[in-house]
Amino acid sequence: MASGDPADNLPAGYVPPAVWTWDKPSGGAFAAINRPISGATHDKDLPVGKHPLQLYSLGTPNGVKVTIMLEELLEKGHSGAEYDAWLINISQGDQFSSGFVAINPNSKIPAMLDRSIDPPVRVFESGSIVFYLAEKFGEFLPTEVHKRAEVMNWLMWQMGSAPYLGGGFGHFYAYAPIRIEYAINRFAMETKRLLHVLDTQLGKCEYVAGDDYTIADIANFTWYGNMVGDAYSAQEFLSVHEYANIRRWVDLVGARPAVQRGRMVNRGFGDPAACLRERHDARDFEVNTEEKVQARGGTRI
């Protein structure tokens, strides 16, 4: 462990205790919902819709991976991929309900139940869900050993890199209660290194794992598309214009109709015309966007 002069620490004079205790809020945008223990805080059952696949999520990068995947499967004609998407409001602690914790003991979105199997299969972690769906429907995951390994390499790479982008750079740049130069520099360096890794790869092939669109593209698009888009209002700071190959790929993937639909689902923020808080049928994209629901006084049809 590094040891410096406590006078140089932040706050000045701070020395880590021998044993950390949770005796005061840490501050920041999500302090009210963070805690050092797992488990439910309240009893509440999750709603269940009419389709075999029940998704409990929020339109964050991790949540959008799954809704894009499901919309892509439906686009290919897999009727068994019809799903109900229920919004989990993490700012209100919905992820700590007994029903949600029963599906995901880690209390993070997204979480999914596959009720087409008896007993139902629970699936949590966004990478696990898109992999499960790819295997279930035989799409977006090649069977040839070299191609399959490459897709899994880049899927796991994304899962490993996301904490540096969000919990690291995003937190300290946009959400922490104070700006800490060391923390921002540490995670900005890592974020730019990761952007360079992906940009270099996309300079060699059309899609992330080769010539075909796969779950590696779906998983990476939701994070890296945002990083060169509008995430954390940090695009000038990170000089994202430098990553021309990523921007080419983001435009390519972002033009897919299923991607455009998937990005709308479980969104309770942003342009009301592009937000669909819940999704129970393809018709919802036409009649139940947040803009139209608000115009009807909050009524879904």
Side-chain angles (χ1 to χ4, degrees):
M1 177 180 176
S3 59
D5 186 339
D8 296 330
N9 291 344
L10 187 63
Y14 171 71
V15 176
V19 177
W20 182 85
T21 57
W22 187 39
D23 55 2
K24 62 180 179 180
S26 60
F30 303 105
I33 63 170
N34 291 332
R35 57 198 182 113
I37 56 174
S38 63
T41 60
H42 59 285
D43 289 327
K44 185 177 181 180
D45 293 333
L46 292 173
V48 177
K50 60 185 178 181
H51 300 300
L53 297 177
Q54 299 293 303
L55 178 66
Y56 305 95
S57 192
L58 183 67
T60 67
N62 287 332
V64 170
K65 290 178 197 174
V66 182
T67 50
I68 288 177
M69 181 65 176
L70 289 165
E71 292 298 327
E72 290 281 15
L73 292 168
L74 291 169
E75 185 90 0
K76 277 186 165 284
H78 291 282
S79 59
E82 273 292 354
Y83 66 104
D84 292 282
W86 305 93
L87 189 142
I88 298 297
N89 191 328
I90 62 174
S91 65
Q92 295 180 5
D94 292 352
Q95 71 275 30
F96 298 118
S97 73
S98 56
F100 191 88
V101 171
I103 300 177
N104 185 359
N106 195 38
S107 292
K108 302 290 184 181
I109 63 93
M112 187 183 77
L113 269 184
D114 182 355
R115 297 170 62 89
S116 70
I117 299 171
D118 187 20
V121 177
R122 74 174 187 180
V123 196
F124 60 89
E125 289 295 327
S126 57
S128 178
I129 297 174
V130 297
F131 174 70
Y132 177 87
L133 292 170
E135 287 210 312
K136 180 180 178 72
F137 293 100
E139 299 284 2
F140 308 114
L141 180 60
T143 56
E144 194 278 325
V145 63
H146 299 91
K147 292 181 178 180
R148 185 181 181 91
E150 191 69 1
V151 170
M152 295 305 296
N153 288 340
W154 288 103
L155 175 63
M156 294 301 113
W157 177 82
Q158 186 282 312
M159 295 294 290
S161 71
Y164 290 96
L165 305 179
F169 175 75
H171 177 79
F172 286 106
Y173 185 81
Y175 301 136
I178 56 174
R179 293 287 179 91
I180 304 172
E181 181 182 14
Y182 171 80
I184 291 173
N185 285 344
R186 166 71 177 87
F187 288 108
M189 179 183 295
E190 184 65 8
T191 296
K192 287 187 67 67
R193 188 189 70 81
L194 292 165
L195 286 163
H196 190 260
V197 169
L198 184 59
D199 192 70
T200 301
Q201 172 67 6
L202 287 167
K204 301 173 184 177
C205 45
E206 186 171 16
Y207 293 102
V208 171
D211 296 328
D212 299 318
Y213 177 75
T214 69
I215 56 174
D217 296 283
I218 293 171
N220 279 282
F221 173 82
T222 63
W223 276 99
Y224 289 94
N226 278 356
M227 292 308 298
V228 300
D230 59 4
Y232 314 121
S233 300
Q235 286 59 53
E236 181 180 7
F237 180 78
L238 293 173
S239 300
V240 298
H241 64 277
E242 297 173 350
Y243 309 107
N245 296 317
I246 295 180
R247 299 185 69 86
R248 185 248 337 142
W249 166 77
V250 166
D251 290 343
L252 178 65
V253 174
R256 298 175 68 93
V259 170
Q260 294 171 8
R261 292 195 303 273
R263 296 181 77 182
M264 295 174 63
V265 181
N266 290 148
R267 288 182 67 89
F269 49 87
D271 179 5
C275 294
L276 192 65
R277 291 178 66 86
E278 295 181 6
R279 189 269 190 208
H280 305 288
D281 191 273
R283 180 171 170 266
D284 285 328
F285 292 102
E286 299 176 8
V287 301
N288 282 322
T289 60
E290 190 65 10
E291 179 183 55
K292 293 177 179 177
V293 169
Q294 289 176 6
R296 293 192 299 265
T299 303
R300 287 178 48 88
I301 59 174

